[in-house]
């Protein structure tokens, strides 16, 4: 019964589906399981065909009914009324799996035949049908909540009873329902359990409902769509508003500038300039890149749909690939009047993008709702895993031990009863008819001790976590005043995981950076110039006398690494020396900055100022910097750029430059070129790009210089270079700064052009010698390295003048390449290489990608807390490395391992293996890998490459992953969770491309930033700034972990103390199961008398002050990361203390009260009540006085209420208790044992003995085995050290590059605290 092998096209399709997302789809596992069932059972099925494989006569299926499922073998079943009837076990099992597929919506999605076909039809009234499912295409609504009305109950029941304590209590509650087994009633466990579980489920449901409400807000956004009822009227298309959730595949939509894209759309037309109808979109929420992406309408489509009349009558059909998560590629075609053109990523705009710099576009929806690529990358959200705290794993293990303890106690007492019955009971005539059956005796004891894991364990824990959430939400230190955004917790389930984080996976753009680029430094002909925002004080810039700023710059570049001159002085020098050769070159560099870009100037509303729309913030920073230095782009159209150049007389000279060609920037080219015709009719090609690319294209005479200069900037060779150097002192002194709108004045040597002819240079007299070509390149490389060490993003500018003949010949090659249909990209690249050569160096720039406030300090502290930080970004490698230096992931002495798959996986194995050996000997290491390499690693068939890769990155201190797809980010987090089971991962991001990663991690943090609220909506917690992570983890994380651990330990400890006295009493009642405590007290023990102490310690405990935890981040790694708050050995220690204290309480009661001659009332209730009150007092005082470090009025109030409740309970029982019970309760506290001094003296003696024992053990432990918490608690009691911690924690603005050294945490403030005090750090 073997299935036929799949065809090769099917295999290829399967590989493609797996390769694009980096993981197989869900249905593949089910399909594999079905095949395995076939193979494993084929032999047995053949042997038993005669008996068990009975078949009914074959009948044709009824009309309209479904045929045999494709997963079933065709020779194994018969049809009766259209369904297969078979009695083979393997087939029945397969049928069950098919049914499960339907219920769980895991049915395989078949590929469309030839792709998805969607016609442009403005009159379409009926929704299109998806040929894969035979139903209409999915709607455009999205869902981030985890549950539906149908899945909430089953998924939550599974989640609640996956908590072993709940499952344990459920089992005993079922036993209690059996008549004759329980002596405490049949429903006393099942009803409270259901109530407590329902409360937990209701809380989870409310959290999910809040996500649902946020989804509603997005689904109810509005956009313009064509009115299919009346698509055309009065010579124009008729548009109407529609909510996003109502959109369908094939709908025509119109988007206006700055509007978000509601679905994945294909462009039909736009109102932008140019023949190709260029459209700019912002995709920061998809790939994290800040530069705008260029999208274009297919020319034939734009022409066919150019007017409303043509649009209504057009014949256009788009054929696209089926939905998939790959955001980097798109395959499809468009047929216009039987002519076919290719569709690429340049013609598609994905959901999550925002339209920029374009008045409006018309487009058609091709993917909607959960089939949009950004939603596919988010893993559908509907299948998001239910997160459980890591502490629950350890708690489950402890619950198992408690189960064995309960069973052990029950078996022991049952066996002891059998012995007692044979030796004693059988000889007593009045007990001859009181024999209890063995099974009732066993289950009776099991039910008696079952609540050693109390029913309220998880419900009380939920109450504690809700209180913890209140403290988190109201912490003013995590409130961002600028955006009016507080901290918001969207779940309380995993609060304690915040104190155990070992790995942080962070997005870059919008999470670490602000997406704001600032022009900082400029290099021209051997001189460096600091832009105005970072200029130094005037007294440090130039010397006395008439020293030229140019001389100062040259001297500074030769003698000191720190730049001392500013662009303001450069502007002044250009005015003072208009005819010098240096000024000529400086003006040419500024012209290169002004002309080589894609920015479009726009006048503001009052038409008095000019702003720019740019495709990248880098270009915007460069153009604005040129504007501030007097070179303003005031107008731009498809063919010309108009510049406004200031003159010495404060007048403006206008120059028009003709744009002949633009060779766009791409990630592969790493450069952009523009060919312009100057006003004096000369033709110049200007190129800007990465230094490694541009220098290779300089003139041949510079080859030697290029070969003698190293371009490898990583790792930084100069350990003394510090990022702090980039912050030049005195930047705040604004008296030397010109206003941004202040006029800049120059003199120009040519009336027609700001740059003179090359022939005129010979007549220019310069005060300073211009460096020769080789020296200039050497100095430029040194400057670039200096910029990079300061974490600036560097660009090189070069130029070359062309003659008319050379340009005309190249233009023919270029036109042929741009219009070619085959090998288009290669031909364009070859044509660009022909012109981008033999350049002259113009200069270099340094741009700062501004980090968010406090990022550097936060990463420094988190690294000191032994948290490894991974930066996962869709941005390019150079940018990611620069930000890695800026934020402190890379240090001056870091060893950097860059992985790529240029030479195949075999070469990569060798490099990874050698890197692992090298990494073990380095002090600080960083691994850099890109998305393409990750695809190679994950798709390797054999698998060892993936294992080797994770062996490497686990050892690294930090990892930077660039060009990563959202699904790759999620898979990295998933792999870390599985390959390092002891890890606790935290993912933080702010865009839709981070949703999958956030949901995959143990803890998901959403940043409510510039990319919207999509990530925050799907996260567990949301913050406004990355810097809030340090307090969230180091302070609240540790506190929540300590609180939860002490709550669990206190709860389990008090149950052992209480029920062990019950077990000890069995020796004195013949192991008959008689309870020492009267039933009402036994029932209310956990709720009325001992719930408050454990709740208070779980809500208000603070083992160390916030200032201490912020000042010494190393304390974080000594607690939660190493499970030192709650583990099996700590539980054993608390249990041993409970055993000893239970014995002290019981035997003191038995010896000093029950057997004392002075005791007048030694009845069962008086003995049990003495133990009961003693246990309540001991529990309250131990948890609130001994264990709770944060002494407060709340703790004292808890002790008063708990102890007072015990005595109040005695008063109530003495007055209202029934007389018809074996316990003599009525009046006992007033007239019996309450008046006996022996009872009171014994109670006091028990309390004293227990606390002498507690304090003795605690003092012995601290003296011989002190923990880091003990040491720093003692330091906090010293006034000097406490003030030191407070001052150190307050200095968050202090920039620390290298963390700590020489064994000191912070050596500059107060008395240094040696790290040797941290005993947990090795």
């Amino acid at each position: 019964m073997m299935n036929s092998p799949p065809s090769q096209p099917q295999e290829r399709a399967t590989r493609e589906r797996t390769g694009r997302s980096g993981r197989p789809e869900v249905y593949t596992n089910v399909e594999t399981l079905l095949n395995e069932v076939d193979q494993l059972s084929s032999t047995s099925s053949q042997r038993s065909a005669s008996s068990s494989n009975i078949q009914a006569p074959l009948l044709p299926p009824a009309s309209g009914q479904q045929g045999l499922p494709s997963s079933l073998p065709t020779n194994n079943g018969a049809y009766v009324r259209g369904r297969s009837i078979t009695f083979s076990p393997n087939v029945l099992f397969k049928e069950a799996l098919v049914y499960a597929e339907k219920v769980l919506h895991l049915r395989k999605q078949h590929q469309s035949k030839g792709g998805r076909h969607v016609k442009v039809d403005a009159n379409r009234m009926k929704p299109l049908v998806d040929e894969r499912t035979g139903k209409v295409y999915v709607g455009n609504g999205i869902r981030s909540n985890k549950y539906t009305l149908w899945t909430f109950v089953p998924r939550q029941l599974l989640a609640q009873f996956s908590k072993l304590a709940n499952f344990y209590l459920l089992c005993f509650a079922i036993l209690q329902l059996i008549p004759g087994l329980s002596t405490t009633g049949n429903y006393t466990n099942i009803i409270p359990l259901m109530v407590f579980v329902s409360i937990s489920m209701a809380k989870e449901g409310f959290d999910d409902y809040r996500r649902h409400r946020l989804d509603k807000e997005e689904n109810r956004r509005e956009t313009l769509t064509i009115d299919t009822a009346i698509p055309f009227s009065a010579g124009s298309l008729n548009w109407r508003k529609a909510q996003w959730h109502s959109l369908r595949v094939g709908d025509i939509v119109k988007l206006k500038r700055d509007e978000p894209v509601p679905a994945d759309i294909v462009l039909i037309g736009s109102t932008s300039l140019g023949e190709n109808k260029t459209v700019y979109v912002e995709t920061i929420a998809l790939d994290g890149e800040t530069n705008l992406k260029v999208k274009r309408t297919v020319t034939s489509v734009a022409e066919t749909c150019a007017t409303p009349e043509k649009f209504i009558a057009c014949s256009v059909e788009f054929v696209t690939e089926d939905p998939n998560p790959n955001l980097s590629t798109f395959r499809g075609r468009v047929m216009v009047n039987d002519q076919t053109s290719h569709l690429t990523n340049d013609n598609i705009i994905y959901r999550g993008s925002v339209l920029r710099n374009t008045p409006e576009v018309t487009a058609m929806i091709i993917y909607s709702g959960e089939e949009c690529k950004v939603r596919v990358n988010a893993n559908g959200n509907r299948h998001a895993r239910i997160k459980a705290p890591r502490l629950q794993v350890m708690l489950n293990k402890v619950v198992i031990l408690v189960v064995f303890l309960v069973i052990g106690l029950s078996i022991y007492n049952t066996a002891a009863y059998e012995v007692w019955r044979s030796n004693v009971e059988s000889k007593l005539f009045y007990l001859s008819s009181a024999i209890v059956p063995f099974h009732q005796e066993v289950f009776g004891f099991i039910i008696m001790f079952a609540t050693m894991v109390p029913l309220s364990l998880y419900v009380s824990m939920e109450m504690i976590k809700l209180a913890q959430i209140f403290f988190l939400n109201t912490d003013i230190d995590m409130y961002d005043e600028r955006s009016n955004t507080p901290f918001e917790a969207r779940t309380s389930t995993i609060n304690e995981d915040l104190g155990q984080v070992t790995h942080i996976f962070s997005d870059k753009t919008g999470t670490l950076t602000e997406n704001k680029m600032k022009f900082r430094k400029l290099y021209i002909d051997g001189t460096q110039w600091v832009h105005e925002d970072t200029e130094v004080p005037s007294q440090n810039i130039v010397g006395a006398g008439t020293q030229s700023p140019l001389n100062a710059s040259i001297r500074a570049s030769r003698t000191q690494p720190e730049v001392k001159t500013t662009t303001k002085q450069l502007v002044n020098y250009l005015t003072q020396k208009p005819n010098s050769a240096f000024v000529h070159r400086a003006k040419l560099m500024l012209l290169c900055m002004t002309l080589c870009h894609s920015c479009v100037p726009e006048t503001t509303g009052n038409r008095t100022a000019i702003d720019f729309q740019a495709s990248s913030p880098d270009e915007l920073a460069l153009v604005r910097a040129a504007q501030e230095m007097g070179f303003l782009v005031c107008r731009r159209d498809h063919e010309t750029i108009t510049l406004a150049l200031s003159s010495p007389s404060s007048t403006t000279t206008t120059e028009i430059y003709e744009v002949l060609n633009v060779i766009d920037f791409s990630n592969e080219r790493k450069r952009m070129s523009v060919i312009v015709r100057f006003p004096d009719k000369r033709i110049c090609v200007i190129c800007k790009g990465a230094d490694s690319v541009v220098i290779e294209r300089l003139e041949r005479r510079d080859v030697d210089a290029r070969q003698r200069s190293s371009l490898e900037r990583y790792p930084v060779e100069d350990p003394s270079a510090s990022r702090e150097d980039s912050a030049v002192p005195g930047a705040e002194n604004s008296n030397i700064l010109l206003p941004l709108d202040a006029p800049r004045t120059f003199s120009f040597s040519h009336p027609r052009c700001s740059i003179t002819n090359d022939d005129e240079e010979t007549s220019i007299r310069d005060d300073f010698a211009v460096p020769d070509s080789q020296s200039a390149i050497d100095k430029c490389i040194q400057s670039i390295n200096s910029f990079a060490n300061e974490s600036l993003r560097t660009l090189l500018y070069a130029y070359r003048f062309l003659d008319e003949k050379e340009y005309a010949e190249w233009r023919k090659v270029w036109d042929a390449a741009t219009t070619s249909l085959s090998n288009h990209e290669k031909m364009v690249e070859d044509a660009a290489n022909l012109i981008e050569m033999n350049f002259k160096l113009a200069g270099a720039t340094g741009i700062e990608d501004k980090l968010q406030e406090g990022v550097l300090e936060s990463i420094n502290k988190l690294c000191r807390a032994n948290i490894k930080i991974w930066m996962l970004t869709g941005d390019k490698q150079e940018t990611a490395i620069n930000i890695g230096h800026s934020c402190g992931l890379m240090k001056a002495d870091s060893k950097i391992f860059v992985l790529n798959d240029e030479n195949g996986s075999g070469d990569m194995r060798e490099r990874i293996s050698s890197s692992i050996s090298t990494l073990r000997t380095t002090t600080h290491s960083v691994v850099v890998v890109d998305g393409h390499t990750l695809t190679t690693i994950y798709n390797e068939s054999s698998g060892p490459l993936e294992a080797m890769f994770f062996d490497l990155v686990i050892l690294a201190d930090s990892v930077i992953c660039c060009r990563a797809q959202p699904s790759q980010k999620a898979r990295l987090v998933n792999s870390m969770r599985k390959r390092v089971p002891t890890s606790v991962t935290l993912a933080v991001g702010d865009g839709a491309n981070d949703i999958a990663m956030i949901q995959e991690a143990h803890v998901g943090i959403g940043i409510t930033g510039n990319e919207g609220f999509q990530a925050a909506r799907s996260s567990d917690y949301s913050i406004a700034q990355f810097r809030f992570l340090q307090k969230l983890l180091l302070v609240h994380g540790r506190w929540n972990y300590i609180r939860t651990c002490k709550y669990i330990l206190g709860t389990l400890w008090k149950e052992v103390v209480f029920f062990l006295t019950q077990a000890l009493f069995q020796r004195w009642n013949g192991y008959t199961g008689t309870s020492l405590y009267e039933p009402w007290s036994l029932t209310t023990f956990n709720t009325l008398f001992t719930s408050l102490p454990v709740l208070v310690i779980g809500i208000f405990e603070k083992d160390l002050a916030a200032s201490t935890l912020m000042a010494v981040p190393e304390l974080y790694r000594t607690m939660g990361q190493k499970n030192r708050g709650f583990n099996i050995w700590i539980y054993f220690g608390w249990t041993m203390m409970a055993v000893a204290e239970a014995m002290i309480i019981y035997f003191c009661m038995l010896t000093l009260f029950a057997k004392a001659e002075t005791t007048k009332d030694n009845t069962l209730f008086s003995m049990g009540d003495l133990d009961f009150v003693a246990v309540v007092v001991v529990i309250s005082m131990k948890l609130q006085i001994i264990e709770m470090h944060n002494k407060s009025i709340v703790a004292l109030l808890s002790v008063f209420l708990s102890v007072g409740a015990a005595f109040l309970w005695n008063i109530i029982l003495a007055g209202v208790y029934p007389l018809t019970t074996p316990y003599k309760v009525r009046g006992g506290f007033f007239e019996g044992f309450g008046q006996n001094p022996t009872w009171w003296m014994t109670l006091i003696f028990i309390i004293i003995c227990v606390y002498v024992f507690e304090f003795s053990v605690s003092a012995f432990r601290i003296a011989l085995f002190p923990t880091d918490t003990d040491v720093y608690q003692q330091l906090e009691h010293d006034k000097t050290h406490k003030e030191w911690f407070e001052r150190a924690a307050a200095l968050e603005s202090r920039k620390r590059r290298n963390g700590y050294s020489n064994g000191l945490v912070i050596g500059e403030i107060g008395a240094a605290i040696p790290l040797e005090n941290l005993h947990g750090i090795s």
Side-chain angles (χ1 to χ4, degrees), residues 945-1009:
L945 186 59
E946 181 181 350
M948 293 178 64
F949 171 74
F950 275 94
D951 288 342
L952 173 67
V953 296
I954 288 172
L955 293 174
D957 295 284
S958 296
V959 177
I960 295 177
C961 181
C962 50
R963 294 296 180 198
Q965 295 279 345
S967 57
Q968 290 176 325
K969 293 182 180 182
R971 185 162 184 179
L972 282 173
V973 177
N974 179 272
S975 299
M976 178 57 67
R977 284 198 303 109
K978 293 182 178 179
R979 291 183 176 274
V980 186
T982 58
S983 66
V984 175
T985 58
L986 182 149
V988 55
D990 68 327
N993 59 329
D994 303 314
I995 292 177
M997 172 179 71
I998 287 173
Q999 293 183 333
E1000 194 63 46
H1002 291 93
V1003 181
I1005 307 290
I1007 302 279
T1008 53

Side-chain angles (χ1 to χ4, degrees), residues 832-947:
N833 288 331
L834 292 176
I835 201 70
E836 294 174 332
M837 58 185 300
N838 296 328
F839 286 127
K840 291 183 179 180
L841 181 63
T845 58
I847 300 174
E848 177 189 19
D849 188 357
K850 187 173 178 59
L851 293 176
Q852 288 186 6
E853 178 186 353
V855 166
L856 182 61
E857 295 80 5
S858 299
I859 288 181
N860 179 290
K861 288 187 176 182
L862 294 174
C863 289
R864 286 170 57 189
N866 196 37
I867 299 176
K868 294 187 176 182
I869 301 177
W870 291 31
M871 185 171 70
L872 311 181
T873 176
D875 218 335
K876 55 187 178 182
Q877 180 173 302
E878 293 83 357
T879 304
I881 291 178
N882 284 337
I883 297 301
H885 279 278
S886 300
C887 67
L889 291 181
M890 292 180 172
K891 304 183 183 298
D893 58 345
S894 296
K895 181 67 176 176
I896 299 175
F897 302 88
V898 180
L899 297 181
N900 56 66
D901 60 345
E902 294 177 355
N903 299 321
S905 58
D907 181 66
M908 196 185 304
R909 288 193 197 94
E910 297 178 0
R911 287 187 287 116
I912 291 178
S913 179
S914 62
S915 298
I916 291 175
S917 303
T918 307
L919 188 144
R920 297 181 188 275
T921 61
T922 59
T923 57
H924 191 273
S925 57
V926 180
V927 174
V928 180
V929 63
D930 60 18
H932 186 67
T933 304
L934 285 177
T935 301
T936 302
I937 292 173
Y938 280 121
N939 288 349
E940 191 200 31
S941 57
S942 56
L945 186 59
E946 181 181 350

Side-chain angles (χ1 to χ4, degrees), residues 1066-1111:
Q1066 299 305 308
R1067 167 68 179 80
W1068 279 265
N1069 63 38
Y1071 301 99
T1072 57
T1074 302
S1075 175
L1076 177 63
Y1077 307 111
E1078 63 86 22
W1080 285 12
S1081 300
L1082 187 64
T1083 303
T1084 57
F1085 170 77
N1086 283 312
T1087 54
L1088 296 183
F1089 306 109
T1090 60
S1091 60
L1092 196 56
V1094 291
L1095 285 175
V1096 169
I1097 197 172
I1099 294 174
F1100 296 102
E1101 171 64 335
K1102 298 177 182 178
D1103 63 330
L1104 292 170
S1107 57
T1108 304
L1109 298 174
M1110 292 292 287

Side-chain angles (χ1 to χ4, degrees), residues 202-216:
K203 174 191 158 296
E204 188 69 24
F206 178 73
D207 291 341
D208 205 55
Y209 174 70
R210 289 193 300 171
R211 298 188 185 96
H212 171 70
R213 286 191 303 177
L214 293 172
D215 287 337
K216 260 179 141 179

Side-chain angles (χ1 to χ4, degrees), residues 6-251:
S7 62
Q8 291 182 355
Q10 289 176 337
E11 292 178 339
R12 285 196 299 269
T14 302
R15 288 196 298 268
E16 290 174 358
R17 292 194 300 271
T18 303
R20 285 196 298 265
S21 63
R23 65 180 188 277
E25 295 187 16
V26 177
Y27 59 76
T28 305
N29 296 330
V30 178
E31 195 173 27
T32 304
L33 180 58
L34 294 176
N35 292 334
E36 289 179 355
V37 171
D38 277 343
Q39 295 173 6
L40 291 174
S41 60
S42 58
T43 306
S44 60
S45 296
Q46 291 172 0
R47 285 197 300 264
S48 59
S50 59
S51 59
S52 63
N53 202 19
I54 305 174
Q55 298 183 358
L58 185 63
L59 298 176
S63 61
Q65 292 182 341
Q66 186 179 4
L68 186 68
S70 59
S71 61
L72 296 180
T74 57
N75 63 347
N76 193 21
Y79 283 110
V80 175
R81 295 182 181 177
R83 289 295 295 167
S84 173
I85 294 181
T86 178
F87 302 96
S88 177
N90 67 299
V91 177
L92 291 175
F93 178 65
K94 289 169 64 178
E95 286 280 8
L97 286 178
V98 171
Y99 177 75
E101 278 185 313
K102 292 181 179 179
V103 173
L104 299 177
H105 305 289
L106 300 178
R107 294 287 293 175
K108 177 177 177 179
Q109 292 284 344
H110 297 284
Q111 295 294 314
S112 301
K113 295 180 180 179
R116 173 175 291 191
H117 296 254
V118 185
K119 291 184 178 180
V120 177
D121 185 2
N123 300 289
R124 182 183 294 114
M125 300 297 294
K126 294 182 179 180
L128 295 175
V129 175
D130 189 348
E131 67 177 77
R132 299 173 302 165
T133 61
K135 302 178 181 178
V136 296
Y137 287 107
V138 297
N140 198 45
I142 58 104
R143 184 165 59 83
S144 300
N145 54 320
K146 300 177 182 178
Y147 311 103
T148 65
L149 291 175
W150 306 109
T151 63
F152 175 75
V153 172
R155 292 189 70 187
Q156 264 300 298
L157 287 176
L158 182 64
Q160 293 298 327
F161 289 105
S162 66
K163 302 173 182 177
L164 195 58
N166 281 350
F167 180 74
Y168 156 83
L169 293 170
L170 177 65
C171 294
F172 288 118
I174 293 173
L175 283 177
Q176 194 180 33
L177 293 176
I178 301 175
L181 292 185
S182 174
T183 59
T184 60
N186 297 106
Y187 304 101
T188 55
N189 279 336
I190 191 66
I191 293 178
L193 177 62
M194 291 298 101
V195 171
F196 294 149
V197 168
S198 298
I199 292 174
S200 298
M201 292 174 63
K203 174 191 158 296
E204 188 69 24
F206 178 73
D207 291 341
D208 205 55
Y209 174 70
R210 289 193 300 171
R211 298 188 185 96
H212 171 70
R213 286 191 303 177
L214 293 172
D215 287 337
K216 260 179 141 179
E217 293 180 9
E218 179 164 346
N219 290 331
R220 290 181 177 178
R221 285 184 176 182
E222 292 184 341
T223 191
L224 291 176
T225 181
I226 200 165
D227 190 347
T228 55
I230 311 175
F232 183 77
S233 65
S236 63
L237 296 175
N238 191 17
W239 301 95
R240 64 178 179 87
K241 288 185 177 180
Q243 294 184 345
W244 281 17
H245 68 84
S246 66
L247 300 177
R248 297 278 182 174
V249 171
D251 285 356

Side-chain angles (χ1 to χ4, degrees), residues 951-1165:
D951 288 342
L952 173 67
V953 296
I954 288 172
L955 293 174
D957 295 284
S958 296
V959 177
I960 295 177
C961 181
C962 50
R963 294 296 180 198
Q965 295 279 345
S967 57
Q968 290 176 325
K969 293 182 180 182
R971 185 162 184 179
L972 282 173
V973 177
N974 179 272
S975 299
M976 178 57 67
R977 284 198 303 109
K978 293 182 178 179
R979 291 183 176 274
V980 186
T982 58
S983 66
V984 175
T985 58
L986 182 149
V988 55
D990 68 327
N993 59 329
D994 303 314
I995 292 177
M997 172 179 71
I998 287 173
Q999 293 183 333
E1000 194 63 46
H1002 291 93
V1003 181
I1005 307 290
I1007 302 279
T1008 53
N1010 297 328
E1011 298 181 29
F1013 296 89
Q1014 297 183 69
R1017 188 166 54 237
S1018 302
S1019 65
D1020 304 307
Y1021 308 93
S1022 63
I1023 55 179
Q1025 295 279 316
F1026 182 87
R1027 60 190 168 95
F1028 297 142
L1029 269 186
Q1030 57 177 320
K1031 186 168 188 184
L1032 177 62
L1033 299 185
L1034 302 182
V1035 179
H1036 288 289
R1038 178 187 174 100
W1039 284 349
N1040 290 342
Y1041 174 73
I1042 292 293
R1043 291 164 178 168
T1044 306
C1045 290
K1046 286 195 173 182
Y1047 163 76
I1048 294 173
L1049 289 170
T1051 300
L1052 298 176
W1053 167 81
K1054 70 184 180 69
E1055 300 302 320
V1056 174
V1057 172
F1058 184 67
F1059 284 99
L1060 197 57
T1061 57
Q1062 181 87 294
L1064 291 172
F1065 177 65
Q1066 299 305 308
R1067 167 68 179 80
W1068 279 265
N1069 63 38
Y1071 301 99
T1072 57
T1074 302
S1075 175
L1076 177 63
Y1077 307 111
E1078 63 86 22
W1080 285 12
S1081 300
L1082 187 64
T1083 303
T1084 57
F1085 170 77
N1086 283 312
T1087 54
L1088 296 183
F1089 306 109
T1090 60
S1091 60
L1092 196 56
V1094 291
L1095 285 175
V1096 169
I1097 197 172
I1099 294 174
F1100 296 102
E1101 171 64 335
K1102 298 177 182 178
D1103 63 330
L1104 292 170
S1107 57
T1108 304
L1109 298 174
M1110 292 292 287
V1112 190
E1114 290 80 2
L1115 288 167
Y1116 183 85
R1117 54 174 152 171
T1118 65
M1119 182 57 67
Q1121 288 183 351
K1122 297 185 178 180
N1123 297 320
R1124 290 183 175 173
F1126 178 62
N1127 56 50
I1128 199 68
W1129 301 110
I1130 292 178
Y1131 170 73
F1132 281 151
W1134 279 66
T1135 302
M1136 292 300 101
M1137 293 292 292
V1139 171
E1141 288 159 359
M1143 295 179 71
I1144 291 174
I1145 293 171
Y1146 178 76
F1147 286 109
C1148 284
M1149 179 275 297
L1150 184 67
T1151 304
L1152 301 179
F1153 176 74
K1155 295 183 178 181
E1157 295 181 358
T1158 58
T1159 300
K1160 300 178 180 179
D1161 180 8
N1162 61 351
T1163 59
L1164 186 60
F1165 176 71

